[in-house]
Amino acid sequence: MNSATPKLPFRHALLLAGALLLAACVTTQPAPPPAPPTPPPTAHKPKIGLALGGGAARGFAHIGVIKMLESQGIVPDLVVGTSAGAVVGAMYAGGYDAFAMQKLAIQLDETLFADWTLRGPGLLKGEALQSFVNQNLKRRPLEKLKLPFGTVATDLNSGERVVFRTGDSGMAVRASAAVPGVFQPVTINGHQYVDGGLTSPVPVRAAREMGADFVIAVDISAVAEGQPVDSMSAILWQTTTIMGSVIGKTELAEADAVIRPRLPYVKSWDFNARHEAMIEGEKAALAVLPTIRRKLAR
């Protein structure tokens, strides 16, 4: 007797075929791409402020300091200046690099500033200095300079420190450099202003107020000990030196780095020593560079 292969009922065969067809149509969904790696947090770049102190003809040292800092890629985000520091700072903030300022300094004839007068409370009017600054800045006001810039003066009536950040650049610099008894006070908006060194010889706090996270201060002030006191003008300079050294100590302590060019032989009124002052500025900045780099790396 022959045995026959059992046949599945038609209905069961149809269901089996449908299941196989559905299984064949199922597609595997691709796995989602891996999430990109989270980038490490970006290190905060500190805003560097350069605070340039006062010191009359010793201010040429500022140019040497800036020259050395620039050569090492250390460029400030803002600049503040007092007196001679205001003159150099204005040029730097206005777009002059160290080499351009060096050329300007070498060609400078100090008699350009000698606008003597026999009237008023000062031997020099200061208008020549104002014109010099405005001419070299192409008459741009403070707020239109390349870098944020502030210049420090002292309100003669209240004794308060004032930081000019807008307005006539030459007039603001002139006010900052108006040493009492040498330059006449400068009248701005009804107030009389004199040398910023009376209240802020090296403007570290002004740099902080303008937003600096890291302040490099340049102190070119003279040392009181050993200065001549054999004439009225010498006594006046010595008095200013003593006051400046006392006032400046506290403010300098707030700087992140202090550069002090060695200028014992450069008198405040000696424009002939401009070359030596610039070289000493370079040397002093070079000596402090390791400290600046180490602190900025933090």
Side-chain angles (χ1 to χ4, degrees):
M1 183 176 180
N2 295 332
S3 59
T5 303
K7 297 181 180 179
L8 291 173
F10 176 76
R11 180 179 167 198
H12 288 181
L14 185 62
L15 289 174
L16 179 59
L20 293 173
L21 181 63
L22 287 174
C25 293
V26 173
T27 58
T28 304
Q29 295 294 329
T38 303
T42 304
H44 170 66
K45 180 183 181 299
K47 182 178 288 187
I48 300 175
L50 183 62
L52 304 177
R58 300 159 69 91
F60 290 108
H62 288 315
I63 299 174
V65 169
I66 293 171
K67 185 177 179 181
M68 180 55 65
L69 293 177
E70 281 187 338
S71 71
Q72 299 299 311
I74 300 174
V75 180
D77 299 287
L78 59 92
V79 185
V80 192
T82 292
S83 198
V87 179
V88 176
M91 297 296 109
Y92 189 42
Y96 286 77
D97 62 15
F99 287 97
M101 288 192 294
Q102 184 177 22
K103 181 179 179 181
L104 186 64
I106 291 172
Q107 298 174 346
L108 182 65
D109 182 0
E110 64 270 22
T111 60
L112 290 174
F113 307 137
D115 51 356
W116 300 96
T117 179
L118 298 177
R119 300 178 181 179
L123 301 175
L124 301 172
K125 291 183 286 186
E127 294 173 357
L129 174 60
Q130 178 178 335
S131 297
F132 171 82
V133 172
N134 280 334
Q135 179 180 353
N136 283 280
L137 294 180
K138 299 180 180 176
R139 307 205 171 275
R140 285 174 292 167
L142 294 171
E143 66 272 19
K144 296 294 184 180
L145 300 182
K146 184 178 179 180
L147 291 175
F149 175 62
T151 177
V152 179
T154 302
D155 189 313
L156 185 59
N157 298 102
S158 67
E160 294 181 352
R161 173 183 63 96
V162 177
V163 182
F164 291 105
R165 296 188 58 188
T166 62
D168 188 308
S169 297
M171 183 172 287
V173 170
R174 173 187 170 191
S176 182
V179 178
V182 179
F183 286 97
Q184 293 183 347
V186 180
T187 302
I188 302 175
N189 296 328
H191 291 258
Q192 287 189 310
Y193 296 97
V194 292
D195 184 17
L198 298 177
T199 50
S200 183
V202 187
V204 175
R205 289 174 185 163
R208 297 281 188 203
E209 292 164 3
M210 288 176 60
D213 304 309
F214 190 95
V215 178
I216 301 173
V218 186
D219 180 15
I220 58 169
S221 59
V223 178
E225 185 178 356
Q227 296 296 325
V229 288
D230 53 358
S231 66
M232 184 178 69
S233 60
I235 292 174
L236 179 62
W237 282 111
Q238 178 71 340
T239 302
T240 305
T241 298
I242 294 171
M243 288 191 302
S245 62
V246 174
I247 296 170
K249 283 182 180 178
T250 303
E251 194 163 1
L252 280 170
E254 300 174 14
D256 295 283
V258 180
I259 298 173
R260 289 187 175 93
R262 293 176 56 84
L263 303 166
Y265 52 86
V266 181
K267 304 303 180 185
S268 297
W269 55 87
D270 184 8
F271 281 78
N272 293 323
R274 66 191 76 180
H275 295 279
E276 292 84 352
M278 286 187 278
I279 291 172
E280 291 297 335
E282 289 186 50
K283 290 165 60 177
L286 179 62
V288 182
L289 271 174
T291 300
I292 295 174
R293 291 194 182 283
R294 184 177 68 254
K295 290 188 175 182
L296 283 175
R298 296 177 183 173

